[in-house]
Amino acid sequence: MNVRNPRFPLFDSVRGLAALSVVTCHIALTLNGFANPHVGRYLIQLNIGVAVFFMMSGFLLYRPFVAARFAGVRMPATGAYGIRRFFRIVPGYWVALPLIAIWLELPAVLNNPPPYFGFAQVYDRSTLFNGYGVAWTLCVEVPFYLLLPVWAFAMRRLPGRSRRALVLSEVVGLGLLCVGALVWNTTQSQHGAGPVPITTAVSSFPAFVDQFAIGMMLAMASVALGGREPRAIRVVHRASWLCWLVAIGAWVVLCNIGSVGTGSGEVVRHELRGLVAAAVLLPAVFGDDRGGVVRRLLADRRVQWVGLISYSLYLWHAAIVVKAGRAGWADRLGWLGFTIGALAASLAVGAIAFYAWERPSLRLGRRIAWRADGGRR
């Protein structure tokens, strides 16, 4: 069995669409679109892209580990894994953060850099609201990066080597992670009909463990199936539109459950975000990457290019949108002109950042990781 991750080309497009959903959400926030009585409830839930990002991380990063476990070979080298993860997010973020902090006048970042540069701003109430807003998701991702090899090592120590035993242990283990996240979110959202305050508990890694775990479950399934197509997978393969229909339906329900931010519906909303993200990902995981309207969209090179630069786009777009709002673009251009202009500027700056330093950093990281892994490919 090949324990290296096969290429999942449609993931680039899914990543691009997720990034665009978050950008649009922040544009709507700047335009005060959330207060619109007709579409505000839908605009605020365009941050669904964050759940997609977390689930994709769970899938792509866990798959080599679970593939190695099923094949009975050694785990991927944790040193090389750590090097690749470092160069994936740290150089781009460390370049962007000080420039953005100066540009947006965020003195807390420059006066007390360790928690912000160290991906820890969401773990202390005094820093939670004083940094660069979109960085909170990186503060959630980093603990997952650190804990994933530990989890993979622990799973390898479990008894049983048959395929059935391996699948059962993965399902039980990852299921327990989902239950743990559900318990965590339930206890942190007990505020009746009142608003759930944004705290370190609801903004940190434990609150999103289930979304990573669902991605890991999909990774396990893709390995365990080994190219076989049971009936459920044939449906995904032949009618990928059905998955996205489920995603759209779940998202509409998500947008219409009570008042956003109230404890009575927040746990349900969280679970629905997981369902939406999983349904969006399924056609990119299973199937031959061709056929159907969904895969034709995901195969579009323009969407794939947005996915290519999505990390730099994500890092820079919020600062650009905020700055455009302060400069009065909305008054001069109207909401449509503001949206087009802010999106175009974000894509342009994201592309510059990607080609100027993100891509060179990724290439450097791969070279260093390759040497650390003894030159194995």
Side-chain angles (χ1 to χ4, degrees), residues 331-351:
D331 294 333
R332 294 197 297 270
L333 302 176
W335 72 268
L336 181 59
F338 181 93
T339 300
I340 295 172
L343 178 58
S346 297
L347 287 169
V349 174

PDB file of all heavy atoms in Angstrom, residues 331-351:
ATOM      1  N   ASP A 331     -18.979  54.282   0.599  1.00  0.00           N
ATOM      2  CA  ASP A 331     -19.735  55.496   0.275  1.00  0.00           C
ATOM      3  C   ASP A 331     -19.527  55.905  -1.180  1.00  0.00           C
ATOM      4  O   ASP A 331     -20.453  56.377  -1.850  1.00  0.00           O
ATOM      5  CB  ASP A 331     -19.314  56.639   1.202  1.00  0.00           C
ATOM      6  CG  ASP A 331     -19.709  56.377   2.650  1.00  0.00           C
ATOM      7  OD1 ASP A 331     -20.702  55.645   2.861  1.00  0.00           O
ATOM      8  OD2 ASP A 331     -19.021  56.882   3.556  1.00  0.00           O
ATOM      9  N   ARG A 332     -18.315  55.724  -1.675  1.00  0.00           N
ATOM     10  CA  ARG A 332     -18.004  56.163  -3.031  1.00  0.00           C
ATOM     11  C   ARG A 332     -18.415  55.140  -4.087  1.00  0.00           C
ATOM     12  O   ARG A 332     -18.801  55.508  -5.197  1.00  0.00           O
ATOM     13  CB  ARG A 332     -16.501  56.449  -3.152  1.00  0.00           C
ATOM     14  CG  ARG A 332     -16.036  57.638  -2.313  1.00  0.00           C
ATOM     15  CD  ARG A 332     -14.670  58.126  -2.766  1.00  0.00           C
ATOM     16  NE  ARG A 332     -13.646  57.113  -2.570  1.00  0.00           N
ATOM     17  CZ  ARG A 332     -12.923  56.980  -1.447  1.00  0.00           C
ATOM     18  NH1 ARG A 332     -13.149  57.793  -0.422  1.00  0.00           N
ATOM     19  NH2 ARG A 332     -12.001  56.051  -1.355  1.00  0.00           N
ATOM     20  N   LEU A 333     -18.327  53.858  -3.749  1.00  0.00           N
ATOM     21  CA  LEU A 333     -18.536  52.807  -4.743  1.00  0.00           C
ATOM     22  C   LEU A 333     -19.851  52.063  -4.589  1.00  0.00           C
ATOM     23  O   LEU A 333     -20.256  51.342  -5.511  1.00  0.00           O
ATOM     24  CB  LEU A 333     -17.381  51.784  -4.675  1.00  0.00           C
ATOM     25  CG  LEU A 333     -15.966  52.325  -4.886  1.00  0.00           C
ATOM     26  CD1 LEU A 333     -14.944  51.210  -4.688  1.00  0.00           C
ATOM     27  CD2 LEU A 333     -15.823  52.951  -6.260  1.00  0.00           C
ATOM     28  N   GLY A 334     -20.507  52.213  -3.444  1.00  0.00           N
ATOM     29  CA  GLY A 334     -21.686  51.404  -3.190  1.00  0.00           C
ATOM     30  C   GLY A 334     -21.284  50.004  -2.756  1.00  0.00           C
ATOM     31  O   GLY A 334     -20.117  49.608  -2.849  1.00  0.00           O
ATOM     32  N   TRP A 335     -22.279  49.221  -2.318  1.00  0.00           N
ATOM     33  CA  TRP A 335     -21.941  47.907  -1.769  1.00  0.00           C
ATOM     34  C   TRP A 335     -21.358  46.975  -2.826  1.00  0.00           C
ATOM     35  O   TRP A 335     -20.417  46.205  -2.545  1.00  0.00           O
ATOM     36  CB  TRP A 335     -23.159  47.279  -1.107  1.00  0.00           C
ATOM     37  CG  TRP A 335     -24.226  46.810  -2.067  1.00  0.00           C
ATOM     38  CD1 TRP A 335     -25.308  47.496  -2.510  1.00  0.00           C
ATOM     39  CD2 TRP A 335     -24.268  45.524  -2.705  1.00  0.00           C
ATOM     40  NE1 TRP A 335     -26.039  46.734  -3.387  1.00  0.00           N
ATOM     41  CE2 TRP A 335     -25.429  45.506  -3.524  1.00  0.00           C
ATOM     42  CE3 TRP A 335     -23.469  44.387  -2.677  1.00  0.00           C
ATOM     43  CZ2 TRP A 335     -25.795  44.415  -4.291  1.00  0.00           C
ATOM     44  CZ3 TRP A 335     -23.817  43.292  -3.449  1.00  0.00           C
ATOM     45  CH2 TRP A 335     -24.976  43.306  -4.242  1.00  0.00           C
ATOM     46  N   LEU A 336     -21.869  47.056  -4.078  1.00  0.00           N
ATOM     47  CA  LEU A 336     -21.358  46.169  -5.113  1.00  0.00           C
ATOM     48  C   LEU A 336     -19.946  46.556  -5.521  1.00  0.00           C
ATOM     49  O   LEU A 336     -19.060  45.693  -5.652  1.00  0.00           O
ATOM     50  CB  LEU A 336     -22.289  46.200  -6.321  1.00  0.00           C
ATOM     51  CG  LEU A 336     -21.894  45.280  -7.489  1.00  0.00           C
ATOM     52  CD1 LEU A 336     -21.839  43.827  -7.022  1.00  0.00           C
ATOM     53  CD2 LEU A 336     -22.876  45.430  -8.655  1.00  0.00           C
ATOM     54  N   GLY A 337     -19.716  47.850  -5.704  1.00  0.00           N
ATOM     55  CA  GLY A 337     -18.375  48.302  -6.049  1.00  0.00           C
ATOM     56  C   GLY A 337     -17.373  48.002  -4.951  1.00  0.00           C
ATOM     57  O   GLY A 337     -16.227  47.610  -5.217  1.00  0.00           O
ATOM     58  N   PHE A 338     -17.806  48.181  -3.704  1.00  0.00           N
ATOM     59  CA  PHE A 338     -16.927  47.869  -2.570  1.00  0.00           C
ATOM     60  C   PHE A 338     -16.576  46.386  -2.575  1.00  0.00           C
ATOM     61  O   PHE A 338     -15.409  46.009  -2.390  1.00  0.00           O
ATOM     62  CB  PHE A 338     -17.613  48.241  -1.258  1.00  0.00           C
ATOM     63  CG  PHE A 338     -16.775  47.968  -0.035  1.00  0.00           C
ATOM     64  CD1 PHE A 338     -15.974  48.956   0.498  1.00  0.00           C
ATOM     65  CD2 PHE A 338     -16.792  46.714   0.573  1.00  0.00           C
ATOM     66  CE1 PHE A 338     -15.198  48.708   1.623  1.00  0.00           C
ATOM     67  CE2 PHE A 338     -16.017  46.450   1.684  1.00  0.00           C
ATOM     68  CZ  PHE A 338     -15.215  47.456   2.218  1.00  0.00           C
ATOM     69  N   THR A 339     -17.572  45.549  -2.784  1.00  0.00           N
ATOM     70  CA  THR A 339     -17.335  44.105  -2.764  1.00  0.00           C
ATOM     71  C   THR A 339     -16.359  43.694  -3.858  1.00  0.00           C
ATOM     72  O   THR A 339     -15.391  42.958  -3.602  1.00  0.00           O
ATOM     73  CB  THR A 339     -18.663  43.353  -2.945  1.00  0.00           C
ATOM     74  OG1 THR A 339     -19.550  43.696  -1.869  1.00  0.00           O
ATOM     75  CG2 THR A 339     -18.441  41.850  -2.969  1.00  0.00           C
ATOM     76  N   ILE A 340     -16.588  44.187  -5.076  1.00  0.00           N
ATOM     77  CA  ILE A 340     -15.698  43.830  -6.192  1.00  0.00           C
ATOM     78  C   ILE A 340     -14.293  44.370  -5.952  1.00  0.00           C
ATOM     79  O   ILE A 340     -13.294  43.667  -6.143  1.00  0.00           O
ATOM     80  CB  ILE A 340     -16.274  44.358  -7.513  1.00  0.00           C
ATOM     81  CG1 ILE A 340     -17.597  43.649  -7.836  1.00  0.00           C
ATOM     82  CG2 ILE A 340     -15.269  44.174  -8.650  1.00  0.00           C
ATOM     83  CD1 ILE A 340     -18.324  44.238  -9.025  1.00  0.00           C
ATOM     84  N   GLY A 341     -14.207  45.637  -5.502  1.00  0.00           N
ATOM     85  CA  GLY A 341     -12.906  46.245  -5.288  1.00  0.00           C
ATOM     86  C   GLY A 341     -12.132  45.579  -4.166  1.00  0.00           C
ATOM     87  O   GLY A 341     -10.927  45.308  -4.304  1.00  0.00           O
ATOM     88  N   ALA A 342     -12.803  45.291  -3.050  1.00  0.00           N
ATOM     89  CA  ALA A 342     -12.122  44.655  -1.919  1.00  0.00           C
ATOM     90  C   ALA A 342     -11.686  43.236  -2.268  1.00  0.00           C
ATOM     91  O   ALA A 342     -10.584  42.799  -1.895  1.00  0.00           O
ATOM     92  CB  ALA A 342     -13.035  44.652  -0.695  1.00  0.00           C
ATOM     93  N   LEU A 343     -12.524  42.520  -3.008  1.00  0.00           N
ATOM     94  CA  LEU A 343     -12.165  41.167  -3.407  1.00  0.00           C
ATOM     95  C   LEU A 343     -10.988  41.173  -4.376  1.00  0.00           C
ATOM     96  O   LEU A 343     -10.038  40.381  -4.237  1.00  0.00           O
ATOM     97  CB  LEU A 343     -13.371  40.479  -4.043  1.00  0.00           C
ATOM     98  CG  LEU A 343     -13.157  39.053  -4.556  1.00  0.00           C
ATOM     99  CD1 LEU A 343     -12.687  38.143  -3.430  1.00  0.00           C
ATOM    100  CD2 LEU A 343     -14.446  38.507  -5.176  1.00  0.00           C
ATOM    101  N   ALA A 344     -11.019  42.086  -5.354  1.00  0.00           N
ATOM    102  CA  ALA A 344      -9.922  42.169  -6.320  1.00  0.00           C
ATOM    103  C   ALA A 344      -8.614  42.545  -5.634  1.00  0.00           C
ATOM    104  O   ALA A 344      -7.560  41.959  -5.923  1.00  0.00           O
ATOM    105  CB  ALA A 344     -10.265  43.187  -7.413  1.00  0.00           C
ATOM    106  N   ALA A 345      -8.675  43.514  -4.731  1.00  0.00           N
ATOM    107  CA  ALA A 345      -7.466  43.927  -4.010  1.00  0.00           C
ATOM    108  C   ALA A 345      -6.933  42.796  -3.145  1.00  0.00           C
ATOM    109  O   ALA A 345      -5.714  42.574  -3.057  1.00  0.00           O
ATOM    110  CB  ALA A 345      -7.769  45.157  -3.154  1.00  0.00           C
ATOM    111  N   SER A 346      -7.833  42.053  -2.506  1.00  0.00           N
ATOM    112  CA  SER A 346      -7.409  40.937  -1.663  1.00  0.00           C
ATOM    113  C   SER A 346      -6.742  39.847  -2.480  1.00  0.00           C
ATOM    114  O   SER A 346      -5.710  39.283  -2.083  1.00  0.00           O
ATOM    115  CB  SER A 346      -8.612  40.367  -0.905  1.00  0.00           C
ATOM    116  OG  SER A 346      -9.177  41.317  -0.033  1.00  0.00           O
ATOM    117  N   LEU A 347      -7.317  39.546  -3.645  1.00  0.00           N
ATOM    118  CA  LEU A 347      -6.716  38.534  -4.514  1.00  0.00           C
ATOM    119  C   LEU A 347      -5.345  38.988  -5.022  1.00  0.00           C
ATOM    120  O   LEU A 347      -4.402  38.189  -5.086  1.00  0.00           O
ATOM    121  CB  LEU A 347      -7.644  38.242  -5.689  1.00  0.00           C
ATOM    122  CG  LEU A 347      -8.906  37.431  -5.371  1.00  0.00           C
ATOM    123  CD1 LEU A 347      -9.868  37.444  -6.552  1.00  0.00           C
ATOM    124  CD2 LEU A 347      -8.549  35.988  -5.014  1.00  0.00           C
ATOM    125  N   ALA A 348      -5.240  40.258  -5.360  1.00  0.00           N
ATOM    126  CA  ALA A 348      -3.967  40.771  -5.872  1.00  0.00           C
ATOM    127  C   ALA A 348      -2.882  40.711  -4.808  1.00  0.00           C
ATOM    128  O   ALA A 348      -1.764  40.232  -5.056  1.00  0.00           O
ATOM    129  CB  ALA A 348      -4.152  42.207  -6.368  1.00  0.00           C
ATOM    130  N   VAL A 349      -3.186  41.190  -3.617  1.00  0.00           N
ATOM    131  CA  VAL A 349      -2.189  41.165  -2.538  1.00  0.00           C
ATOM    132  C   VAL A 349      -1.882  39.737  -2.120  1.00  0.00           C
ATOM    133  O   VAL A 349      -0.727  39.381  -1.849  1.00  0.00           O
ATOM    134  CB  VAL A 349      -2.678  42.004  -1.337  1.00  0.00           C
ATOM    135  CG1 VAL A 349      -1.729  41.858  -0.155  1.00  0.00           C
ATOM    136  CG2 VAL A 349      -2.824  43.466  -1.734  1.00  0.00           C
ATOM    137  N   GLY A 350      -2.928  38.881  -2.069  1.00  0.00           N
ATOM    138  CA  GLY A 350      -2.686  37.481  -1.739  1.00  0.00           C
ATOM    139  C   GLY A 350      -1.770  36.811  -2.741  1.00  0.00           C
ATOM    140  O   GLY A 350      -0.883  36.027  -2.366  1.00  0.00           O
ATOM    141  N   ALA A 351      -1.943  37.126  -4.036  1.00  0.00           N
ATOM    142  CA  ALA A 351      -1.082  36.551  -5.066  1.00  0.00           C
ATOM    143  C   ALA A 351       0.358  37.036  -4.911  1.00  0.00           C
ATOM    144  O   ALA A 351       1.304  36.257  -5.024  1.00  0.00           O
ATOM    145  CB  ALA A 351      -1.623  36.906  -6.449  1.00  0.00           C
TER     146      ALA A 351
END
